[in-house]
Amino acid sequence: MVRRLDLLKPNVDSGTPGPAARAAFRARFEHLRHNAKAVTLWIANTAFGTLLGVDRSRTKVVDEIDVASEGCLDPVGVRVDHSQNIWVACQSEPSKTIADGSSEQEYSSSGKLLERYEWSAPCPSSASSCGALGANDGGPDNGGHVFASLAAAAILVSGAQQNLDSGFFWWPANKPKSTPTFISLGAYCQPICQPLFMDTDASGNIWFTYRGVTGSQQGFGLGEVTDPTTDPQIVTIFAPGKYELGFGVFTSDAQTKLNVVDAGKRDIYQYELPVTSASAPLKTLGPTASGFDSWGQPITGGFNKAETRLALGDQFGWLNVGATASNIWTGALNVDFLPYVLGASYTPSDR
């Protein structure tokens, strides 16, 4: 069997608690009077399959959505759209055999599941085993198309592992039950090994961070898929090695800016769109909050409606919140954020 965690490394990974631990975690929220109106941030507690709604203090949980009960295990990327609906990328789904697929899910602000966009890895029927690492990120573009990423997939053939192409799935607007179209990023590690996080710009083009290899150079870069729903073309903007640990990607300023999180340096680089190989950051935010011995690994997130604050989940178990004007960062702590929160989105957001 191809193990999902083998495909994930060296991406964010700390294992997943079992059913008993999940039940104990959610029992802590039984006393909550669900108060969606008090929520200013939705954050993904990835290990426990839960979206936590926190208030203005950024440390008090006032609402909770049990996405694991809807089949969304290991939620990562979270986005709130202009209607304040919540989109979450699910790395795995229990209904899929041997983790060969998953879904992008949409929830109302009150926590009701609205749609489930399910996909299956492009695994041939001849494979004796198939495994896939699902979506770190996804969501809708301005035209209503919905996207989800396939970070990695592999099959066993005659006992030997073969890697399949990674890429992106997309669905036409308002057609969650349709079979998604797959956009391949090419042969494994030529140069893209894994797409990590993504967003779409005003024209519907996909921007994504990736882990890849070019010659002897390994590391993290930035890529683009132009015209993904009509004539997809893959463009390598920054080659592997551009970022120490390139993770979150999200637009801002009415989709005229692109923000890239370098988790290794705890910095966020803001570029003018479209980004080219000659582009330099217009602005750098960070470093984000750190703990003992400068620990800290911001993953992904987004801005509030006024774009005065930016929130990012952190692999080390806190919420990073920065004031964009002063570039002052704080780490919001709560035991319910442990062991880690990877995605975050303000509500209302800047979408």
Side-chain angles (χ1 to χ4, degrees), residues 83-127:
S83 299
Q84 292 189 265
N85 291 339
I86 309 152
W87 295 80
V88 57
C90 313
Q91 281 194 342
S92 59
E93 187 172 292
S95 63
K96 299 294 185 180
T97 304
I98 322 177
D100 65 351
S102 192
S103 63
E104 176 78 18
Q105 297 188 1
E106 179 187 11
Y107 291 81
S108 70
S109 60
S110 63
K112 178 183 178 182
L113 177 66
L114 298 177
E115 298 292 355
R116 181 186 286 110
Y117 293 80
E118 294 187 306
W119 56 266
S120 295
C123 303
S125 58
S126 59

Side-chain angles (χ1 to χ4, degrees), residues 65-77:
I65 303 174
D66 178 10
V67 296
S69 69
E70 298 290 354
C72 181
L73 302 183
D74 308 316
V76 183

Side-chain angles (χ1 to χ4, degrees), residues 179-190:
T179 300
T181 301
F182 181 64
I183 302 170
S184 170
L185 292 179
Y188 192 79
C189 284
Q190 297 297 321

Side-chain angles (χ1 to χ4, degrees), residues 15-28 30 46-50 66 68-69 73-74 94:
T16 302
R22 289 178 186 272
F25 178 84
R26 284 194 289 272
R28 296 209 293 269
E30 290 179 354
T46 304
F48 289 102
T50 300
D66 178 10
S69 69
L73 302 183
D74 308 316

Side-chain angles (χ1 to χ4, degrees), residues 266-287:
R266 308 199 325 274
D267 283 336
I268 303 93
Y269 305 116
Q270 189 172 82
Y271 302 90
E272 187 85 38
L273 279 167
V275 185
T276 71
S277 59
S279 294
L282 297 171
K283 186 177 183 179
T284 299
L285 294 171

Side-chain angles (χ1 to χ4, degrees), residues 92-331:
S92 59
E93 187 172 292
S95 63
K96 299 294 185 180
T97 304
I98 322 177
D100 65 351
S102 192
S103 63
E104 176 78 18
Q105 297 188 1
E106 179 187 11
Y107 291 81
S108 70
S109 60
S110 63
K112 178 183 178 182
L113 177 66
L114 298 177
E115 298 292 355
R116 181 186 286 110
Y117 293 80
E118 294 187 306
W119 56 266
S120 295
C123 303
S125 58
S126 59
S128 57
S129 181
C130 181
L133 170 61
N136 285 329
D137 219 345
D141 67 6
N142 289 346
H145 307 99
V146 175
F147 295 86
S149 61
L150 172 64
I155 60 174
L156 284 183
V157 178
S158 301
Q161 178 172 314
Q162 296 182 9
N163 295 312
L164 301 176
D165 291 0
S166 58
F168 301 97
F169 295 95
W170 69 270
W171 293 257
N174 303 313
K175 293 186 177 180
K177 304 305 180 186
S178 64
T179 300
T181 301
F182 181 64
I183 302 170
S184 170
L185 292 179
Y188 192 79
C189 284
Q190 297 297 321
I192 297 166
C193 302
Q194 287 182 346
L196 297 174
F197 294 87
M198 63 156 286
D199 200 1
T200 52
D201 64 17
S203 300
N205 299 325
I206 300 172
W207 296 87
F208 63 97
T209 50
Y210 69 89
R211 182 179 66 86
V213 178
T214 300
S216 60
Q217 183 70 46
Q218 302 184 30
F220 296 81
L222 180 71
E224 179 188 13
V225 182
T226 61
D227 303 314
T229 63
T230 55
D231 182 26
Q233 301 295 320
I234 316 302
V235 183
T236 301
I237 304 298
F238 295 140
K242 174 68 173 182
Y243 305 111
E244 188 173 315
L245 202 58
F247 275 0
V249 178
F250 42 93
T251 63
S252 62
D253 197 10
Q255 296 184 301
T256 63
K257 305 291 192 303
L258 188 73
N259 304 271
V260 178
V261 179
D262 189 330
K265 294 184 176 180
R266 308 199 325 274
D267 283 336
I268 303 93
Y269 305 116
Q270 189 172 82
Y271 302 90
E272 187 85 38
L273 279 167
V275 185
T276 71
S277 59
S279 294
L282 297 171
K283 186 177 183 179
T284 299
L285 294 171
T288 58
S290 65
F292 176 74
D293 199 24
S294 297
W295 288 352
Q297 195 173 94
I299 306 300
T300 194
F303 293 92
N304 64 355
K305 188 173 182 61
E307 296 190 354
T308 56
R309 291 190 178 275
L310 172 61
L312 304 165
D314 200 286
Q315 170 75 358
F316 284 83
W318 59 77
L319 182 66
N320 293 290
V321 180
T324 53
S326 64
N327 197 27
I328 295 175
W329 289 81
T330 58

